[in-house]
Amino acid sequence: MPNYYQPEIECASHEQIRAWQDERLVKTVRHVYQNVPYYRNLMDKRGVTPDDIHSVDDLCKLPFLTKDDLRDAYPYGLLATPLQDCVRIQSTSGTTGRRVVAFYTQHDIDLWDDCCARAIMAAGGTKDDVVHVCYGYGLFTGGPGLNGGSHKVGSLTLPMSSGNTERQIQFMCDLGSTILCCTPSYAAYLGESIHERGLQDKIKLKAGIFGAEAWSEEMRQDIQQKLGIKAYDIYGLTEISGPGVSFECSEQRGMHVNEDHFIAEIIDPNTGEVLPDGEKGELVFTSITKEAFPLIRYRTRDICVLSREKCSCGRTHVRMSKPMGRSDDMLIVKGVNVFPSQIETVLLNKGYPANYQIVVSREHNSDKLEVLVEMTPEMFSDELSKVSAREDELVGALKAMLGIYAQVKLVAPKSIARSEGKAVRIIDKRKLY
Ligand code: DLL
């Protein structure tokens, strides 16, 4: 059984990583220029040809790609190989606008599975583990990605997909699942459901690999404590392959980007200027080993920071911080930038469960921010005056974090709908006016 912890790659010197990236970037730019008229036009408009690209230093000469480009080019406009060479399509959820579809050759699937296998091994996975995958299967990349990674590690894979919490818990107990893969919001819900049934002692989980949505450190503590596991973050996006673009090691201090496959940059989202490591900005990826759907300088809209500080796990690949949220998830309320993750941090710090909803509306020509927060069953049995004191306390804490007033409404336990996939936290009614 091959070992998908690959120290010769994951712990390579910076010079070695750079040499791989230089060579693979040059090759990818040529491949895309020759086979993707859409991107060739963008390059021609900029007056840049593949001959101008010799190394990663030349990356900044190349035009960006955005989600709008992917929508414009839907479905085949960015495909770089004949369709007959492709074996798979995956797609984004497409809640706004047209869906985005991504294509994979068998080689592309293999490298994606390798990336997910590295993530599972970094979370302590081996062929002795039972990997319980309750990310959705189908067009969403979560299920297929972790499934492929788990096969490569040689673990016993449970392709549960999402939903049916009763069955998830039963299989977890009966089949001794040791590694759980799902969204953090569903992990929190599973933790809550296991406690309600008093089944903590029947659960053999040791680790969880959670991603696909923003989650705070406080939520990590909550999940780790509820499920008695170590919770690892995993990041990725359909356009760049799916989960496994980056993943956490046992240090839990940022996610190592698989730099032999992807080049990461941070840019100023307003000017497009490349920012140095350590500065916060929009994450941009270039895939350098893909055949069917290689994207060059794809703007993710995710806001984070890159760090090349030495990691004690020995991996040398650059680490990205947890994304603070997407720049298009960021709410502007009364002119102030508000990220749902800031609100989550306040709530979890104050002992509330991670079940909340943010409602923004317009009243008398001014923005109104309202946060609905579920109480724990113990809080729910408190007298009314205590509940209103709790609301006031949260208003103060949110004001300190956000700098603006948010109305807080404490609601009954279980009154906010649970999500089996990515949680929907924001209702922005202003878009309806
Ligand atoms: O969510 C792929 C994935 C599946 C990642 C399972 C991890 C685990 P998309 O549906 O295309 O793909 O959504 C990609 O989700 O741009 C981020 O905004 C967000 N996202 C993904 N992982 C994380 C994470 C999958 N760990 C979009 N933390 C990305 C915060 C994340 N946000």
Side-chain angles (χ1 to χ4, degrees):
M1 181 61 60
N3 184 345
Y4 282 91
Y5 171 51
Q6 299 161 315
E8 70 290 357
I9 298 172
E10 295 184 65
C11 306
S13 67
H14 290 302
E15 293 71 34
Q16 176 61 71
I17 295 171
R18 190 53 194 259
W20 285 325
Q21 290 188 334
D22 287 343
E23 184 202 326
R24 292 171 188 182
L25 174 68
V26 169
K27 218 169 128 192
T28 299
V29 171
R30 266 185 203 289
H31 172 53
V32 170
Y33 193 82
Q34 279 162 11
N35 296 297
V36 184
Y38 188 97
Y39 198 72
R40 183 163 61 233
N41 282 342
L42 291 182
M43 283 177 65
D44 288 347
K45 269 195 216 148
R46 269 219 169 190
V48 48
T49 74
D51 291 338
D52 299 315
I53 308 300
H54 307 287
S55 73
V56 176
D57 288 336
D58 299 319
L59 198 54
C60 58
K61 296 178 184 162
L62 291 163
F64 291 115
L65 278 172
T66 65
K67 201 160 206 149
D68 285 342
D69 290 308
L70 268 64
R71 288 188 180 127
D72 284 353
Y74 173 90
Y76 300 122
L78 287 162
L79 185 59
T81 52
L83 194 56
Q84 296 90 318
D85 292 349
C86 296
V87 297
R88 177 88 69 80
I89 285 175
Q90 303 283 165
S91 171
T92 58
S93 49
T95 41
T96 51
R98 269 187 193 166
R99 270 181 180 272
V100 164
V101 283
F103 300 84
Y104 305 73
T105 62
Q106 187 56 51
H107 158 94
D108 297 335
I109 296 280
D110 279 343
L111 79 82
W112 177 26
D113 288 350
D114 285 359
C115 289
C116 289
R118 286 183 193 171
I120 292 171
M121 298 218 64
T126 68
K127 67 186 206 30
D128 298 327
D129 279 295
V130 179
V131 176
H132 187 114
V133 185
C134 41
Y135 285 114
Y137 281 65
L139 286 170
F140 179 54
T141 54
L146 271 305
N147 196 93
S150 172
H151 278 207
K152 288 230 165 174
V153 173
S155 309
L156 178 61
T157 313
L158 282 181
M160 298 297 298
S161 198
S162 55
N164 202 338
T165 302
E166 206 60 55
R167 190 180 58 191
Q168 302 279 1
I169 297 176
Q170 190 193 336
F171 270 40
M172 220 176 262
C173 295
D174 295 350
L175 302 173
S177 309
T178 52
I179 299 185
L180 174 66
C181 305
C182 61
T183 56
S185 49
Y186 192 54
Y189 179 47
L190 278 170
E192 192 178 297
S193 308
I194 288 166
H195 274 254
E196 274 170 13
R197 291 163 179 74
L199 292 172
Q200 300 91 297
D201 295 343
K202 301 259 182 301
I203 298 292
K204 297 204 175 60
L205 290 177
K206 62 175 190 187
I209 304 178
F210 306 129
E213 64 187 7
W215 55 308
S216 59
E217 276 309 319
E218 290 74 13
M219 187 146 171
R220 189 209 299 271
Q221 299 309 327
D222 185 51
I223 295 172
Q224 293 194 145
Q225 193 251 325
K226 276 208 188 101
L227 287 170
I229 60 172
K230 191 155 176 167
Y232 294 81
D233 204 348
I234 183 167
Y235 169 90
L237 58 166
T238 314
E239 298 89 316
I240 298 298
S241 66
V245 171
S246 67
F247 60 86
E248 255 180 2
C249 62
S250 56
E251 285 304 298
Q252 295 178 310
R253 286 184 56 228
M255 293 176 270
H256 292 281
V257 174
N258 279 308
E259 282 196 286
D260 50 329
H261 297 301
F262 313 108
I263 302 175
E265 297 173 277
I266 293 284
I267 61 161
D268 177 325
N270 299 315
T271 62
E273 182 203 347
V274 180
L275 300 176
D277 289 344
E279 283 199 27
K280 187 169 83 184
E282 181 180 340
L283 185 59
V284 172
F285 279 114
T286 299
S287 51
I288 48 173
T289 46
K290 282 171 69 180
E291 292 177 342
F293 203 67
L295 297 188
I296 294 174
R297 301 197 91 198
Y298 182 65
R299 293 185 59 160
T300 63
R301 300 276 161 203
D302 293 318
I303 303 293
C304 66
V305 177
L306 292 180
S307 162
R308 279 181 206 280
E309 262 174 44
K310 201 166 181 278
C311 183
S312 58
C313 78
R315 289 179 183 79
T316 45
H317 291 201
V318 70
R319 274 175 293 166
M320 56 178 271
S321 64
K322 269 182 177 302
M324 293 190 56
R326 298 176 57 76
S327 57
D328 42 11
D329 257 6
M330 185 184 78
L331 291 161
I332 303 183
V333 183
K334 296 179 184 161
V336 174
N337 298 349
V338 174
F339 283 99
S341 56
Q342 293 173 296
I343 295 179
E344 183 175 300
T345 296
V346 169
L347 300 181
L348 281 127
N349 266 333
K350 296 275 174 203
Y352 292 85
N355 302 314
Y356 60 93
Q357 198 132 57
I358 302 164
V359 184
V360 194
S361 54
R362 259 185 106 65
E363 236 177 52
H364 311 300
N365 274 334
S366 167
D367 291 336
K368 180 179 168 200
L369 177 62
E370 200 181 358
V371 186
L372 307 181
V373 188
E374 263 186 24
M375 287 181 271
T376 59
E378 301 77 60
M379 294 172 180
F380 191 51
S381 56
D382 282 345
E383 60 217 46
L384 230 55
S385 64
K386 223 164 164 191
V387 171
S388 96
R390 281 182 189 284
E391 287 177 344
D392 291 345
E393 189 202 8
L394 276 183
V395 168
L398 286 170
K399 179 103 200 269
M401 170 66 95
L402 309 172
I404 53 168
Y405 170 76
Q407 187 179 336
V408 173
K409 216 184 253 172
L410 290 178
V411 298
K414 299 246 181 299
S415 56
I416 294 177
R418 300 292 188 270
S419 138
E420 290 158 355
K422 301 191 190 220
V424 182
R425 306 278 193 206
I426 306 170
I427 302 173
D428 193 344
K429 294 185 178 164
R430 295 173 302 183
K431 292 182 180 152
L432 305 173
Y433 302 144

